[in-house]
Amino acid sequence: MTAMTSRSPSDRSEASLLSAMMSMAPPGIRLGCRTIRVGDEDLLLPEEQHAVTTRNLEARRASGAARHLARDLMAELGHPVVAIGRGRFGQPIWPAGVVGSLAHDRVMAVAAVVSGPANLSLGIDVEPAEPLPDDAVPLVMTAGDELGTASRHLAGRILFAAKEAIYKAVYPLDGIILNHDDVVVSLAASCGRTRAGPVVRLYLCISPRIVVLAIPSGR
Ligand SMILES: CC(C)(COP(=O)(O)OP(=O)(O)OC[C@H]1O[C@@H](n2cnc3c(N)ncnc32)[C@H](O)[C@@H]1OP(=O)(O)O)[C@@H](O)C(=O)NCCC(=O)NCCS
């Protein structure tokens, strides 16, 4: 007789997104996702709680989910379970030998982690697979952006996620705060670049949520 297991909607959402993220993941990079749950704020380690005390419950909950996830990925890579700090400009501070990135939307937290030196960098973003509000599209999309075959319905949201992921990947390298029009993205070529920064390779999935991973690949 086959045992029946019942899975909660959040389990199914995680499994479905994880499968899409695994399909896009480049070799060596660990990606994960976790539905943000009530109580995830308690997953923050004491040092991390100190860094986010000024933030509201929703933000602490999302940070707890993302940091818990990142710690699991670090453990899979053989790294000890330690706090992931938070820099002055919001950037995560990784322990020596690990580089990664965190993101969350209202429902899901995602993380990307790789073993490597501090001059390596990653950026990740997650967004619902829904169109951006019409008035936000012109703020995000600039003349140089190339949409390729991306659905016109979602192109603005995909570009938004790509630019946020690129910013998170490049900021730890150069410390420059960027606007959307400082970043040009080609969805056709799966890459982007900042005004003065490196070319950034993009890996993405669109369904069930939009997730973009950005990896600087050289100047
Ligand atoms: C970093 C930023 C893009 C994150 O956007 P968000 O929609 O608030 O949140 P996300 O869930 O996508 O990402 C949050 C995570 O990004 C990471 N992050 C924040 N600032 C970062 C930075 N400067 N560099 C790298 N990662 C950063 C953090 O890990 C954060 O999670 P935490 O607060 O739980 O630690 C935004 O807060 C910001 O600083 N924007 C200014 C620049 C910008 O947006 N330019 C337009 C795009 S080029």
Side-chain angles (χ1 to χ4, degrees):
M1 200 169 103
T2 309
M4 297 284 289
T5 53
S6 68
R7 303 177 76 196
S8 71
S10 57
D11 288 344
R12 286 195 294 273
S13 305
E14 279 175 9
S16 155
L17 181 58
L18 186 61
S19 162
M21 290 171 70
M22 290 297 107
S23 309
M24 75 187 220
I29 297 185
R30 299 286 171 138
L31 299 181
C33 62
R34 173 182 170 88
T35 303
I36 301 165
R37 298 166 171 87
V38 171
D40 278 357
E41 61 278 14
D42 298 331
L43 296 172
L44 291 168
L45 297 181
E47 306 92 299
E48 296 169 342
Q49 279 168 12
H50 180 68
V52 298
T53 43
T54 54
R55 306 178 77 205
N56 65 33
L57 177 61
E58 192 181 356
R60 285 185 278 123
R61 193 167 277 167
S63 273
R67 280 172 163 72
H68 178 74
L69 184 55
R71 269 191 277 282
D72 279 354
L73 299 176
M74 281 160 49
E76 282 175 25
L77 290 170
H79 295 283
V81 171
V82 293
I84 301 164
R86 193 161 190 277
R88 197 168 143 229
F89 291 93
Q91 73 277 24
I93 311 287
W94 300 95
V98 182
V99 173
S101 184
L102 312 175
H104 17 76
D105 61 19
R106 295 181 75 84
V107 174
M108 198 66 76
V110 297
V113 172
V114 67
S115 293
N119 65 354
L120 194 70
S121 188
L122 298 176
I124 196 165
D125 194 37
V126 60
E127 294 286 325
E130 296 164 5
L132 266 193
D134 287 344
D135 56 351
V137 174
L139 302 175
V140 172
M141 205 182 283
T142 52
D145 294 326
E146 293 171 6
L147 304 182
T149 56
S151 137
R152 291 309 182 255
H153 172 70
L154 290 178
R157 182 75 74 169
I158 299 168
L159 277 181
F160 180 83
K163 292 186 180 195
E164 293 223 336
I166 290 171
Y167 171 68
K168 291 183 201 176
V170 174
Y171 179 85
L173 303 177
D174 63 16
I176 298 174
I177 297 177
L178 301 169
N179 292 313
H180 290 105
D181 59 1
D182 294 322
V183 184
V184 177
V185 168
S186 169
L187 295 179
S190 299
C191 67
R193 72 177 313 148
T194 62
R195 279 191 202 283
V199 172
V200 181
R201 192 98 213 126
L202 299 175
Y203 302 82
L204 64 131
C205 68
I206 307 297
S207 176
R209 307 184 91 70
I210 296 168
V211 177
V212 181
L213 174 70
I215 308 178
S217 60
R219 291 186 188 255

